[in-house]
Amino acid sequence: MKILKGYLLIASLLLISNTVVAQRNINDILDSTTVNNLLIISKKYGSVSFSGYMQPQFQYAQSKGTAAEFQGGNFGDNADNRFRLRRGRLRADYSLLNDDGTPSTYFVFQFDGTEQGVNVRDFWGRYYEHHFQLFSFTAGLAGRPFGNELQLSSSSREAPERGRMSQTLMKTERDLGVMISFNPRKKTAKLKNIQFDLGIYNGQGLSGPQEFDNSKDFVLRLSHKNYAFKKLPINISGGVSALLGGLNHQLPVKYQMQKLNNVWIMAKDSSATNINKIAPRKYYGADIQFSTKKKSWKTELRAEFIKGLQTGSSTNSSTPTIVPIDKNNIKLPYYTRSFNGAYLTFVQTLNSTDNQLILKYDYYDPNTKVKGNAINAINKLSAADVRFDTFGFGLLHHFNPHLKAVIYYDVIRNEKTKLSNFEKDIKDNVLTIRTQFYF
């Protein structure tokens, strides 16, 4: 029995390693790096494997001091070009299988090292229910089950960065919490392509030092895995997601949009009863992915739309990582806005699977109540209410199974408003040339 178990363990791990390229999501087993994993230890107590990648890059901005928060970070005041190590990941995976070769327990640790420091990216464990083979339970620091782009590993995405919408709503994809998943694992299961995830998380993600209020985010997603049509050369997958959360007001003052004399303004609401009430963060999204079956001229199309309510600060629509404060460390109120956003990504393989053409469009409108000249300081609006549209295009080349490079250009267009600095389009386009080494 021990020998049989050992053979099952090794066979299962080799199978996972050989198919890992198809696994692209940050919470998948042996996947955050989507590379061939090296088996280090294989015994009756389980196995340990290591994988990793690094992304050295050069960037050139349209002007000095470009605010490129969504292209990997802002440029220095007197700089319009730079070398960076965008990511440097090393990941360890531990796996324990049951006697029949089905998964039992999984543990992941991954850190990210760049010239700016070292940070933990993943630290989670997962238990697979064995009797029915329907459920799994995940706890720790892991990706939140929302949407498609937020879950794609940075090593497998074609574009250098996630879109502005994704980064604004969830600046870091991971958060501390727990998740239960329904996904039948038996080969004969009728619902084996259906997955339902429900998670509870702190809310601020990795960008915040700690939980700063009692509100939690409830995140859920219902998705269908890749389905291949029998009579059509097309694969399709997709899902719907929701995030229901918020932030506890810590002041008697809050701001939200209100229509006054047929004009939308950011209205102040001051009442002692506001303290500890929840400023809402409610997101509702749908995503779909198409791909053709032919490898040499494969076409992929991915689209996602998200709308809802977002709570931020007076000058920033991003989810707060700490309680907003001014330069004197005095607490500031929350601002709640209706938003929507979307992206469309087109990837075309050019004859050889080594070459890919990338086209991407995304937009994020942080305040759907106002547009254009209606965005002005008189109505108590700010840069946090300005819409941005981004058009990206590039070419990606795989030199070998362990090295690829991409040249990519972002054309960024902001809404023209009556706000200072946003009366015309800002010169903030960015060129990125990136290589990725991985094992």
Side-chain angles (χ1 to χ4, degrees):
M1 180 60 70
K2 290 182 178 180
I3 295 175
L4 176 60
K5 184 175 180 180
Y7 279 125
L8 286 171
L9 177 62
I10 294 171
S12 298
L13 286 166
L14 289 175
L15 178 61
I16 291 172
S17 295
N18 289 333
T19 59
V20 72
V21 174
Q23 300 170 327
R24 306 177 66 181
N25 295 339
I26 57 179
N27 278 349
D28 283 353
I29 57 176
L30 292 175
D31 174 62
S32 187
T33 52
T34 23
V35 295
N36 295 322
N37 289 265
L38 176 63
L39 185 63
I40 302 298
I41 302 173
S42 178
K43 294 184 179 180
K44 65 178 181 179
Y45 303 111
S47 67
V48 177
S49 59
F50 291 94
S51 57
Y53 65 94
M54 60 179 292
Q55 296 176 337
Q57 68 180 30
F58 175 78
Q59 289 182 302
Y60 184 82
Q62 195 175 5
S63 59
K64 291 182 178 180
T66 291
E69 177 185 357
F70 304 99
Q71 282 69 45
N74 296 333
F75 283 75
D77 292 340
N78 295 305
D80 60 10
N81 66 86
R82 63 188 179 189
F83 286 100
R84 279 208 61 193
L85 181 59
R86 182 62 182 93
R87 297 176 181 89
R89 302 284 175 85
L90 181 62
R91 170 168 161 156
D93 292 71
Y94 167 80
S95 175
L96 178 67
L97 304 181
N98 296 305
D99 290 339
D100 58 1
T102 57
S104 170
T105 306
Y106 210 86
F107 173 80
V108 169
F109 171 65
Q110 180 178 207
F111 70 82
D112 180 31
T114 71
E115 77 278 9
Q116 298 178 352
V118 177
N119 297 287
V120 175
R121 297 299 293 178
D122 287 291
F123 215 151
W124 53 265
R126 179 175 298 164
Y127 171 72
Y128 294 87
E129 167 270 323
H130 182 244
H131 183 72
F132 298 104
Q133 296 189 36
L134 295 175
F135 300 97
S136 62
F137 174 79
T138 305
L141 179 59
R144 290 168 280 197
F146 189 98
N148 177 255
E149 185 177 54
L150 281 162
Q151 296 194 74
L152 286 179
S153 167
S154 56
S155 68
S156 61
R157 286 194 319 270
E158 298 83 8
E161 305 295 338
R162 293 177 176 87
R164 181 180 294 260
M165 172 185 68
S166 298
Q167 293 189 58
T168 299
L169 300 179
M170 299 185 196
K171 194 172 186 65
T172 55
E173 316 77 53
R174 289 124 169 130
D175 202 353
L176 278 162
V178 297
M179 177 178 72
I180 186 169
S181 301
F182 169 82
N183 179 217
R185 298 188 297 279
K186 293 181 179 180
K187 292 182 179 180
T188 56
K190 293 182 178 180
L191 299 178
K192 62 182 179 182
N193 289 322
I194 299 294
Q195 181 161 334
F196 177 74
D197 301 302
L198 172 63
I200 306 175
Y201 302 91
N202 280 342
Q204 79 279 1
L206 278 180
S207 24
Q210 63 180 4
E211 173 66 291
F212 56 81
D213 65 15
N214 285 330
S215 291
K216 296 292 181 286
D217 286 352
F218 292 80
V219 185
L220 55 96
R221 175 171 170 78
L222 177 64
S223 59
H224 193 289
K225 297 180 181 180
N226 209 33
Y227 176 78
F229 289 96
K230 294 181 180 179
K231 297 184 179 180
L232 294 174
I234 297 174
N235 302 318
I236 185 173
S237 60
V240 292
S241 307
L243 182 149
L244 305 175
L247 302 164
N248 291 100
H249 284 292
Q250 302 193 19
L251 296 173
V253 178
K254 67 176 182 178
Y255 285 84
Q256 57 191 15
M257 294 300 291
Q258 180 178 324
K259 205 168 191 178
L260 184 65
N261 297 325
N262 209 34
V263 176
W264 285 101
I265 66 169
M266 186 63 74
K268 180 179 180 180
D269 180 355
S270 181
S271 171
T273 60
N274 286 332
I275 296 178
N276 283 327
K277 283 188 175 180
I278 295 178
R281 289 177 59 232
K282 296 183 179 181
Y283 312 158
Y284 306 95
D287 60 89
I288 191 166
Q289 301 84 44
F290 295 96
S291 65
T292 58
K293 297 177 182 178
K294 192 174 181 180
K295 290 185 177 181
S296 59
W297 287 94
K298 183 176 182 179
T299 300
E300 291 186 62
L301 186 64
R302 300 192 290 270
E304 186 168 358
F305 175 79
I306 304 175
K307 65 176 295 185
L309 291 173
Q310 169 71 344
T311 291
S313 66
S314 61
T315 58
N316 199 322
S317 175
S318 296
T319 301
T321 59
I322 60 172
V323 176
I325 55 175
D326 63 15
K327 60 182 180 180
N328 297 315
N329 290 325
I330 297 175
K331 291 181 179 181
L332 298 173
Y334 289 129
Y335 285 64
T336 300
R337 305 171 175 91
S338 299
F339 77 90
N340 64 38
Y343 70 81
L344 180 66
T345 301
F346 173 83
V347 181
Q348 177 64 57
T349 299
L350 304 175
N351 189 24
S352 167
T353 55
D354 291 337
N355 301 300
Q356 292 176 300
L357 170 68
I358 311 160
L359 301 174
K360 182 177 180 180
Y361 166 72
D362 72 78
Y363 83 88
Y364 177 65
D365 188 348
N367 192 338
T368 58
K369 301 295 185 184
V370 288
K371 299 181 183 299
N373 292 336
I375 303 175
N376 55 64
I378 296 175
N379 294 337
K380 299 180 180 179
L381 301 172
S382 71
D385 303 283
V386 178
R387 169 175 167 153
F388 281 81
D389 294 67
T390 304
F391 305 85
F393 56 92
L395 286 172
L396 187 150
H397 177 70
H398 297 261
F399 291 92
N400 58 51
H402 303 285
L403 172 62
K404 65 180 180 180
V406 63
I407 179 168
Y408 193 86
Y409 193 70
D410 275 315
V411 179
I412 305 166
R413 294 289 180 263
N414 59 269
E415 189 174 11
K416 297 177 179 65
T417 73
K418 289 294 185 180
L419 295 173
S420 176
N421 298 326
F422 289 96
E423 296 172 332
K424 59 182 180 179
D425 185 58
I426 301 171
K427 294 182 179 181
D428 53 358
N429 298 346
V430 177
L431 170 69
T432 301
I433 303 173
R434 174 184 294 174
T435 55
Q436 177 173 298
F437 301 86
Y438 47 105
F439 70 91

PDB file of all heavy atoms in Angstrom, residues 35 61 69 84 94 112 123 128 138 147 162 177 189 214 216 230 243 245 323 385 391 411 414 435:
ATOM      1  N   VAL A  35       4.468  27.770 -14.321  1.00  0.00           N
ATOM      2  CA  VAL A  35       5.701  27.282 -14.931  1.00  0.00           C
ATOM      3  C   VAL A  35       5.873  25.817 -14.591  1.00  0.00           C
ATOM      4  O   VAL A  35       5.135  25.252 -13.792  1.00  0.00           O
ATOM      5  CB  VAL A  35       6.922  28.085 -14.418  1.00  0.00           C
ATOM      6  CG1 VAL A  35       6.845  29.513 -14.861  1.00  0.00           C
ATOM      7  CG2 VAL A  35       7.018  28.008 -12.920  1.00  0.00           C
ATOM      8  N   ALA A  61       8.239  57.153 -20.379  1.00  0.00           N
ATOM      9  CA  ALA A  61       6.979  57.878 -20.244  1.00  0.00           C
ATOM     10  C   ALA A  61       6.946  59.086 -21.167  1.00  0.00           C
ATOM     11  O   ALA A  61       7.987  59.596 -21.608  1.00  0.00           O
ATOM     12  CB  ALA A  61       6.780  58.318 -18.799  1.00  0.00           C
ATOM     13  N   GLU A  69       0.716  55.231 -11.811  1.00  0.00           N
ATOM     14  CA  GLU A  69       0.362  54.303 -10.739  1.00  0.00           C
ATOM     15  C   GLU A  69      -0.131  52.975 -11.277  1.00  0.00           C
ATOM     16  O   GLU A  69       0.144  51.917 -10.708  1.00  0.00           O
ATOM     17  CB  GLU A  69      -0.709  54.935  -9.844  1.00  0.00           C
ATOM     18  CG  GLU A  69      -1.198  54.033  -8.734  1.00  0.00           C
ATOM     19  CD  GLU A  69      -2.343  54.645  -7.938  1.00  0.00           C
ATOM     20  OE1 GLU A  69      -2.711  55.803  -8.219  1.00  0.00           O
ATOM     21  OE2 GLU A  69      -2.875  53.949  -7.042  1.00  0.00           O
ATOM     22  N   ARG A  84      13.483  48.816 -13.970  1.00  0.00           N
ATOM     23  CA  ARG A  84      12.850  48.319 -12.754  1.00  0.00           C
ATOM     24  C   ARG A  84      12.852  46.799 -12.742  1.00  0.00           C
ATOM     25  O   ARG A  84      12.882  46.155 -13.798  1.00  0.00           O
ATOM     26  CB  ARG A  84      11.393  48.791 -12.639  1.00  0.00           C
ATOM     27  CG  ARG A  84      11.193  50.188 -12.110  1.00  0.00           C
ATOM     28  CD  ARG A  84       9.848  50.278 -11.420  1.00  0.00           C
ATOM     29  NE  ARG A  84       9.746  49.370 -10.285  1.00  0.00           N
ATOM     30  CZ  ARG A  84       8.607  49.079  -9.666  1.00  0.00           C
ATOM     31  NH1 ARG A  84       7.463  49.584 -10.082  1.00  0.00           N
ATOM     32  NH2 ARG A  84       8.598  48.255  -8.636  1.00  0.00           N
ATOM     33  N   TYR A  94       3.356  22.703  -1.102  1.00  0.00           N
ATOM     34  CA  TYR A  94       3.354  21.397  -0.423  1.00  0.00           C
ATOM     35  C   TYR A  94       2.040  20.697  -0.738  1.00  0.00           C
ATOM     36  O   TYR A  94       0.958  21.310  -0.672  1.00  0.00           O
ATOM     37  CB  TYR A  94       3.485  21.563   1.091  1.00  0.00           C
ATOM     38  CG  TYR A  94       3.173  20.291   1.853  1.00  0.00           C
ATOM     39  CD1 TYR A  94       4.107  19.273   1.966  1.00  0.00           C
ATOM     40  CD2 TYR A  94       1.910  20.104   2.432  1.00  0.00           C
ATOM     41  CE1 TYR A  94       3.814  18.096   2.639  1.00  0.00           C
ATOM     42  CE2 TYR A  94       1.601  18.941   3.112  1.00  0.00           C
ATOM     43  CZ  TYR A  94       2.559  17.937   3.209  1.00  0.00           C
ATOM     44  OH  TYR A  94       2.250  16.778   3.866  1.00  0.00           O
ATOM     45  N   ASP A 112       7.551  38.070  -2.932  1.00  0.00           N
ATOM     46  CA  ASP A 112       7.880  38.915  -4.070  1.00  0.00           C
ATOM     47  C   ASP A 112       9.029  39.827  -3.672  1.00  0.00           C
ATOM     48  O   ASP A 112       8.919  40.592  -2.707  1.00  0.00           O
ATOM     49  CB  ASP A 112       6.650  39.739  -4.474  1.00  0.00           C
ATOM     50  CG  ASP A 112       6.923  40.640  -5.666  1.00  0.00           C
ATOM     51  OD1 ASP A 112       7.751  40.255  -6.509  1.00  0.00           O
ATOM     52  OD2 ASP A 112       6.306  41.723  -5.749  1.00  0.00           O
ATOM     53  N   PHE A 123       0.179  33.038   1.261  1.00  0.00           N
ATOM     54  CA  PHE A 123       0.470  32.228   2.446  1.00  0.00           C
ATOM     55  C   PHE A 123      -0.850  31.582   2.854  1.00  0.00           C
ATOM     56  O   PHE A 123      -1.550  32.083   3.727  1.00  0.00           O
ATOM     57  CB  PHE A 123       1.021  33.105   3.571  1.00  0.00           C
ATOM     58  CG  PHE A 123       2.058  32.419   4.419  1.00  0.00           C
ATOM     59  CD1 PHE A 123       3.055  33.156   5.042  1.00  0.00           C
ATOM     60  CD2 PHE A 123       2.050  31.046   4.604  1.00  0.00           C
ATOM     61  CE1 PHE A 123       4.025  32.538   5.819  1.00  0.00           C
ATOM     62  CE2 PHE A 123       3.000  30.410   5.372  1.00  0.00           C
ATOM     63  CZ  PHE A 123       4.004  31.171   5.979  1.00  0.00           C
ATOM     64  N   TYR A 128      -9.173  19.559   1.155  1.00  0.00           N
ATOM     65  CA  TYR A 128     -10.148  19.013   0.223  1.00  0.00           C
ATOM     66  C   TYR A 128     -10.986  17.943   0.919  1.00  0.00           C
ATOM     67  O   TYR A 128     -10.444  16.948   1.405  1.00  0.00           O
ATOM     68  CB  TYR A 128      -9.449  18.381  -0.985  1.00  0.00           C
ATOM     69  CG  TYR A 128      -8.716  19.365  -1.860  1.00  0.00           C
ATOM     70  CD1 TYR A 128      -7.404  19.718  -1.585  1.00  0.00           C
ATOM     71  CD2 TYR A 128      -9.343  19.939  -2.964  1.00  0.00           C
ATOM     72  CE1 TYR A 128      -6.725  20.627  -2.391  1.00  0.00           C
ATOM     73  CE2 TYR A 128      -8.682  20.843  -3.775  1.00  0.00           C
ATOM     74  CZ  TYR A 128      -7.369  21.186  -3.481  1.00  0.00           C
ATOM     75  OH  TYR A 128      -6.703  22.076  -4.283  1.00  0.00           O
ATOM     76  N   THR A 138     -10.279  26.977   2.062  1.00  0.00           N
ATOM     77  CA  THR A 138      -9.008  27.699   1.973  1.00  0.00           C
ATOM     78  C   THR A 138      -8.956  28.779   3.038  1.00  0.00           C
ATOM     79  O   THR A 138      -9.935  29.502   3.236  1.00  0.00           O
ATOM     80  CB  THR A 138      -8.839  28.343   0.581  1.00  0.00           C
ATOM     81  OG1 THR A 138      -8.983  27.350  -0.430  1.00  0.00           O
ATOM     82  CG2 THR A 138      -7.480  29.016   0.450  1.00  0.00           C
ATOM     83  N   GLY A 147     -14.147  38.050 -10.403  1.00  0.00           N
ATOM     84  CA  GLY A 147     -13.825  38.357 -11.781  1.00  0.00           C
ATOM     85  C   GLY A 147     -12.800  37.426 -12.392  1.00  0.00           C
ATOM     86  O   GLY A 147     -12.440  36.384 -11.850  1.00  0.00           O
ATOM     87  N   ARG A 162      -2.577  44.717 -14.872  1.00  0.00           N
ATOM     88  CA  ARG A 162      -4.034  44.688 -14.881  1.00  0.00           C
ATOM     89  C   ARG A 162      -4.559  46.087 -15.196  1.00  0.00           C
ATOM     90  O   ARG A 162      -3.863  47.077 -15.042  1.00  0.00           O
ATOM     91  CB  ARG A 162      -4.574  44.216 -13.529  1.00  0.00           C
ATOM     92  CG  ARG A 162      -4.244  42.758 -13.228  1.00  0.00           C
ATOM     93  CD  ARG A 162      -4.730  42.342 -11.853  1.00  0.00           C
ATOM     94  NE  ARG A 162      -4.495  40.918 -11.613  1.00  0.00           N
ATOM     95  CZ  ARG A 162      -3.367  40.412 -11.132  1.00  0.00           C
ATOM     96  NH1 ARG A 162      -2.371  41.230 -10.803  1.00  0.00           N
ATOM     97  NH2 ARG A 162      -3.227  39.111 -10.953  1.00  0.00           N
ATOM     98  N   GLY A 177      -8.275  36.030   4.769  1.00  0.00           N
ATOM     99  CA  GLY A 177      -9.628  35.579   5.013  1.00  0.00           C
ATOM    100  C   GLY A 177      -9.766  34.085   4.814  1.00  0.00           C
ATOM    101  O   GLY A 177      -8.788  33.333   4.828  1.00  0.00           O
ATOM    102  N   ALA A 189     -18.778  13.373 -12.494  1.00  0.00           N
ATOM    103  CA  ALA A 189     -19.707  14.370 -11.950  1.00  0.00           C
ATOM    104  C   ALA A 189     -20.296  15.226 -13.068  1.00  0.00           C
ATOM    105  O   ALA A 189     -19.571  15.722 -13.935  1.00  0.00           O
ATOM    106  CB  ALA A 189     -18.996  15.239 -10.929  1.00  0.00           C
ATOM    107  N   ASN A 214     -14.289  47.067  11.699  1.00  0.00           N
ATOM    108  CA  ASN A 214     -14.931  45.764  11.902  1.00  0.00           C
ATOM    109  C   ASN A 214     -15.671  45.240  10.673  1.00  0.00           C
ATOM    110  O   ASN A 214     -16.211  44.135  10.711  1.00  0.00           O
ATOM    111  CB  ASN A 214     -15.902  45.839  13.078  1.00  0.00           C
ATOM    112  CG  ASN A 214     -15.185  45.866  14.414  1.00  0.00           C
ATOM    113  OD1 ASN A 214     -14.096  45.308  14.553  1.00  0.00           O
ATOM    114  ND2 ASN A 214     -15.780  46.532  15.405  1.00  0.00           N
ATOM    115  N   LYS A 216     -16.277  43.569   7.090  1.00  0.00           N
ATOM    116  CA  LYS A 216     -15.634  42.537   6.280  1.00  0.00           C
ATOM    117  C   LYS A 216     -16.257  42.525   4.885  1.00  0.00           C
ATOM    118  O   LYS A 216     -17.389  42.964   4.685  1.00  0.00           O
ATOM    119  CB  LYS A 216     -15.794  41.157   6.931  1.00  0.00           C
ATOM    120  CG  LYS A 216     -15.101  41.031   8.286  1.00  0.00           C
ATOM    121  CD  LYS A 216     -13.599  41.070   8.142  1.00  0.00           C
ATOM    122  CE  LYS A 216     -12.879  40.927   9.485  1.00  0.00           C
ATOM    123  NZ  LYS A 216     -12.979  42.161  10.303  1.00  0.00           N
ATOM    124  N   LYS A 230     -18.533  20.987 -29.610  1.00  0.00           N
ATOM    125  CA  LYS A 230     -18.193  19.842 -30.449  1.00  0.00           C
ATOM    126  C   LYS A 230     -18.201  20.189 -31.929  1.00  0.00           C
ATOM    127  O   LYS A 230     -17.370  19.705 -32.700  1.00  0.00           O
ATOM    128  CB  LYS A 230     -19.167  18.688 -30.174  1.00  0.00           C
ATOM    129  CG  LYS A 230     -19.044  18.104 -28.769  1.00  0.00           C
ATOM    130  CD  LYS A 230     -20.007  16.954 -28.567  1.00  0.00           C
ATOM    131  CE  LYS A 230     -19.876  16.361 -27.160  1.00  0.00           C
ATOM    132  NZ  LYS A 230     -20.821  15.248 -26.943  1.00  0.00           N
ATOM    133  N   LEU A 243     -19.135  41.461  -4.771  1.00  0.00           N
ATOM    134  CA  LEU A 243     -18.463  41.805  -3.520  1.00  0.00           C
ATOM    135  C   LEU A 243     -19.408  42.678  -2.720  1.00  0.00           C
ATOM    136  O   LEU A 243     -19.865  43.724  -3.206  1.00  0.00           O
ATOM    137  CB  LEU A 243     -17.142  42.529  -3.771  1.00  0.00           C
ATOM    138  CG  LEU A 243     -16.317  42.889  -2.527  1.00  0.00           C
ATOM    139  CD1 LEU A 243     -14.815  42.871  -2.833  1.00  0.00           C
ATOM    140  CD2 LEU A 243     -16.682  44.273  -1.966  1.00  0.00           C
ATOM    141  N   GLY A 245     -19.436  44.589   0.767  1.00  0.00           N
ATOM    142  CA  GLY A 245     -18.619  44.992   1.906  1.00  0.00           C
ATOM    143  C   GLY A 245     -18.762  46.474   2.178  1.00  0.00           C
ATOM    144  O   GLY A 245     -19.707  47.129   1.735  1.00  0.00           O
ATOM    145  N   VAL A 323      -7.248  54.381   7.364  1.00  0.00           N
ATOM    146  CA  VAL A 323      -8.226  55.449   7.541  1.00  0.00           C
ATOM    147  C   VAL A 323      -7.644  56.728   6.937  1.00  0.00           C
ATOM    148  O   VAL A 323      -6.508  57.106   7.252  1.00  0.00           O
ATOM    149  CB  VAL A 323      -8.533  55.672   9.030  1.00  0.00           C
ATOM    150  CG1 VAL A 323      -9.488  56.849   9.199  1.00  0.00           C
ATOM    151  CG2 VAL A 323      -9.128  54.416   9.633  1.00  0.00           C
ATOM    152  N   ASP A 385     -13.056  61.870  -9.510  1.00  0.00           N
ATOM    153  CA  ASP A 385     -14.300  61.720 -10.262  1.00  0.00           C
ATOM    154  C   ASP A 385     -14.085  61.692 -11.772  1.00  0.00           C
ATOM    155  O   ASP A 385     -15.051  61.657 -12.541  1.00  0.00           O
ATOM    156  CB  ASP A 385     -15.253  62.868  -9.907  1.00  0.00           C
ATOM    157  CG  ASP A 385     -15.550  62.933  -8.420  1.00  0.00           C
ATOM    158  OD1 ASP A 385     -16.361  62.110  -7.953  1.00  0.00           O
ATOM    159  OD2 ASP A 385     -14.966  63.781  -7.728  1.00  0.00           O
ATOM    160  N   PHE A 391      -5.909  52.570 -24.030  1.00  0.00           N
ATOM    161  CA  PHE A 391      -5.760  51.710 -25.209  1.00  0.00           C
ATOM    162  C   PHE A 391      -4.337  51.163 -25.189  1.00  0.00           C
ATOM    163  O   PHE A 391      -3.372  51.929 -25.209  1.00  0.00           O
ATOM    164  CB  PHE A 391      -6.005  52.498 -26.493  1.00  0.00           C
ATOM    165  CG  PHE A 391      -7.331  53.199 -26.543  1.00  0.00           C
ATOM    166  CD1 PHE A 391      -7.499  54.460 -25.977  1.00  0.00           C
ATOM    167  CD2 PHE A 391      -8.428  52.591 -27.145  1.00  0.00           C
ATOM    168  CE1 PHE A 391      -8.722  55.117 -26.014  1.00  0.00           C
ATOM    169  CE2 PHE A 391      -9.657  53.234 -27.185  1.00  0.00           C
ATOM    170  CZ  PHE A 391      -9.808  54.498 -26.615  1.00  0.00           C
ATOM    171  N   VAL A 411      -1.748  53.932 -24.307  1.00  0.00           N
ATOM    172  CA  VAL A 411      -2.237  55.262 -24.662  1.00  0.00           C
ATOM    173  C   VAL A 411      -3.368  55.589 -23.689  1.00  0.00           C
ATOM    174  O   VAL A 411      -4.425  54.948 -23.716  1.00  0.00           O
ATOM    175  CB  VAL A 411      -2.743  55.309 -26.116  1.00  0.00           C
ATOM    176  CG1 VAL A 411      -3.259  56.703 -26.453  1.00  0.00           C
ATOM    177  CG2 VAL A 411      -1.633  54.900 -27.073  1.00  0.00           C
ATOM    178  N   ASN A 414      -7.672  60.854 -20.438  1.00  0.00           N
ATOM    179  CA  ASN A 414      -8.548  61.262 -19.343  1.00  0.00           C
ATOM    180  C   ASN A 414      -9.673  62.145 -19.853  1.00  0.00           C
ATOM    181  O   ASN A 414      -9.558  62.808 -20.898  1.00  0.00           O
ATOM    182  CB  ASN A 414      -7.762  62.003 -18.257  1.00  0.00           C
ATOM    183  CG  ASN A 414      -7.070  63.256 -18.773  1.00  0.00           C
ATOM    184  OD1 ASN A 414      -5.913  63.178 -19.195  1.00  0.00           O
ATOM    185  ND2 ASN A 414      -7.754  64.394 -18.754  1.00  0.00           N
ATOM    186  N   THR A 435      11.108  41.647 -19.918  1.00  0.00           N
ATOM    187  CA  THR A 435      11.464  40.245 -20.091  1.00  0.00           C
ATOM    188  C   THR A 435      10.995  39.476 -18.866  1.00  0.00           C
ATOM    189  O   THR A 435      10.850  40.045 -17.765  1.00  0.00           O
ATOM    190  CB  THR A 435      12.987  40.063 -20.236  1.00  0.00           C
ATOM    191  OG1 THR A 435      13.637  40.656 -19.107  1.00  0.00           O
ATOM    192  CG2 THR A 435      13.471  40.710 -21.510  1.00  0.00           C
TER     193      THR A 435
END
